[in-house]
Every structure is written in C-alpha cells, then in structure tokens.
Amino acid sequence: AQSVSQHNHHVILSEAASLELGCNYSYGGTVNLFWYVQYPGQHLQLLLKYFSGDPLVKGIKGFEAEFIKSKFSFNLRKPSVQWSDTAEYFCAVNPYGNNRLAFGKGNQVVVIP
Amino acid sequence: EAGVAQSPRYKIIEKRQSVAFWCNPISGHATLYWYQQILGQGPKLLIQFQNNGVVDDSQLPKDRFSAERLKGVDSTLKIQPAKLEDSAVYLCASSLDRGNQPQHFGDGTRLSIL
C-alpha cells in the first residue's frame, strides 16, 4: 500500500514570504498526485493535481507543485503568501487508475499579516 | 454545481451507543468514499462504492462499522457500538468514476464520543 510523508506539520510565516511544503510518497508504480487545502471552517478542496505530462503543475491561487519521480516527491510552492493562505494542506497519492487515495498528515500553515 | 452534502455536522454520543451519518454525493458521480480523519492526521479511506457496489472496504472495522449505498446515490455510514477511539471527523467524497478523477469532499461530520 502507498504511504505519504509530510514534514514540518506546523509552519508559521509572514505575508510575502515564500512557502514550500514537502511531500514524499512510497509506491513503486505510476501514481496520481494531489494537493488538497482546507481553509478554516471549510471542506477539503483540490489545489492542484498531477496525472502525467509536464512535471511542473500550476494550481489555483498561485500555487504550483513539482513532481520529481526519482525522488518520489511532489513539493508544493508559492512564491509570496497572503494571509488568506492560512489553512491546512494535504498531499495525497493514488495508484494510476485506482482512486484509493492515501493522504499525508497535513501541514498547518499560518500566515501572519 | 452543488457539492457533496453531509449530515449531521456534529454528533455527540456516549460510548457503546450507535450513530449514523448520511451523505449525498454530487449528481452523476458514480463513486462514493467514506473517510475517517482523526485529529492531527490525514483522512483515511474506510470504504469505496462504485454505484451501489462495494469496491474497497479493506480498512473498514467491520465488527462495528457498516455502510450502504442501496440505490447508488446517497449513502449512510453506521457505527454500532461506538468506542472512544471512533472520535473523529467522518468525510464523504465523490468522483465521476473510479479512474483518474479528483475527489470532491463534503464538510464532514464531527463525532465526539463521551
């Protein structure tokens, strides 16, 4: 079964700072990769996804993620965060063609105005 | 497009009692999922339905948890009897089908066991 690791569970940064959240997975085959975001009081929303093609994917709200197959990683980045980016971010992976998602433990990100 | 609907939003019960959660997926979504999210952890898949059939229930504690999706649309998840460790948020999600489709999540039901 696949597993997902996210480090630095709590991240605090100031507005305009850059954000990078790490995600590593363990699965030997082809995978689909996702980042979900949960804003305070809201449901999980899809931020971006990678199925195939260009390993640098762009999502909503200025976020992007890079799939590095050799490192089994799918790190999330945003060059300049805003207060409204305060949320919990989850990395998730499923084997290609199988929608059984495995989630990481999440990163709680707090952006200070 | 209406999202995934879940009820109730909150539930408090005592251990050994039973509880049920309801989910109505996005219209037209054939695949429905139930997840358990314990505080400080990511969601864990409990059961996956394709229309009204179970695709994957390998992580469902079948001695106390059950779920059904009789008409292939809405679904219920039941816990009987509840244990303290069942305190969690129960999330429902749906997707168009089982293939490479993103899942859409509901707001969840927060269950507290006393």
Side-chain angles (χ1 to χ4, degrees):
Chain A
Q2 66 271 27
S3 66
V4 181
S5 297
Q6 293 180 246
H7 309 290
N8 302 322
H9 184 65
H10 295 279
V11 177
I12 302 173
L13 60 167
S14 300
E15 276 192 318
S18 64
L19 173 68
E20 179 159 359
L21 301 177
C23 173
N24 290 90
Y25 66 93
S26 64
Y27 183 75
T30 304
V31 294
N32 297 325
L33 297 152
F34 306 84
W35 276 96
Y36 281 86
V37 60
Q38 189 167 25
Y39 298 104
Q42 297 187 26
H43 58 268
L44 277 165
Q45 302 172 42
L46 183 65
L47 198 55
L48 48 77
K49 64 184 185 292
Y50 174 80
F51 286 171
S52 63
D54 188 344
L56 184 63
V57 293
K58 296 191 183 298
I60 60 172
K61 303 188 181 186
F63 284 90
E64 66 179 28
E66 185 175 13
F67 171 48
I68 304 179
K69 189 175 181 180
S70 61
K71 295 185 177 180
F72 297 89
S73 70
F74 189 55
N75 294 351
L76 181 71
R77 296 192 292 256
K78 185 170 183 178
S80 177
V81 295
Q82 300 173 316
W83 174 78
S84 57
D85 293 322
T86 294
E88 190 153 20
Y89 295 81
F90 292 93
C91 181
V93 60
N94 69 262
Y96 186 81
N98 178 337
N99 252 8
R100 183 178 178 175
L101 269 181
F103 282 85
K105 289 187 175 183
N107 296 104
Q108 183 66 55
V109 175
V110 175
V111 180
I112 301 170
Chain B
E1 165 181 86
V4 176
Q6 288 189 249
S7 67
R9 286 296 306 276
Y10 305 92
K11 190 72 177 178
I12 302 173
I13 62 172
E14 295 185 346
K15 60 184 179 183
R16 292 189 288 274
Q17 286 187 322
S18 63
V19 64
F21 314 123
W22 176 81
C23 172
N24 192 26
I26 293 173
S27 177
H29 280 197
T31 312
L32 185 147
Y33 316 78
W34 283 102
Y35 289 85
Q36 179 192 59
Q37 186 177 12
I38 293 172
L39 188 64
Q41 298 183 22
K44 182 185 86 171
L45 181 69
L46 292 175
I47 189 168
Q48 177 181 344
F49 290 93
Q50 179 72 10
N51 296 310
N52 61 350
V54 175
V55 173
D56 182 352
D57 63 356
S58 57
Q59 299 190 102
L60 186 74
K62 298 180 188 63
D63 58 333
R64 298 182 300 106
F65 286 65
S66 64
E68 59 184 16
R69 193 185 184 201
L70 292 175
K71 295 182 180 179
V73 182
D74 56 348
S75 174
T76 56
L77 175 70
K78 296 179 182 177
I79 308 175
Q80 182 178 10
K83 291 185 175 181
L84 291 174
E85 60 260 35
D86 298 332
S87 293
V89 176
Y90 290 86
L91 298 168
C92 180
S94 69
S95 63
L96 276 171
D97 61 34
R98 288 178 58 200
N100 301 314
Q101 298 287 338
Q103 296 178 27
H104 301 262
F105 285 82
D107 288 333
T109 297
R110 184 175 296 276
L111 175 65
S112 297
I113 312 293
L114 304 179

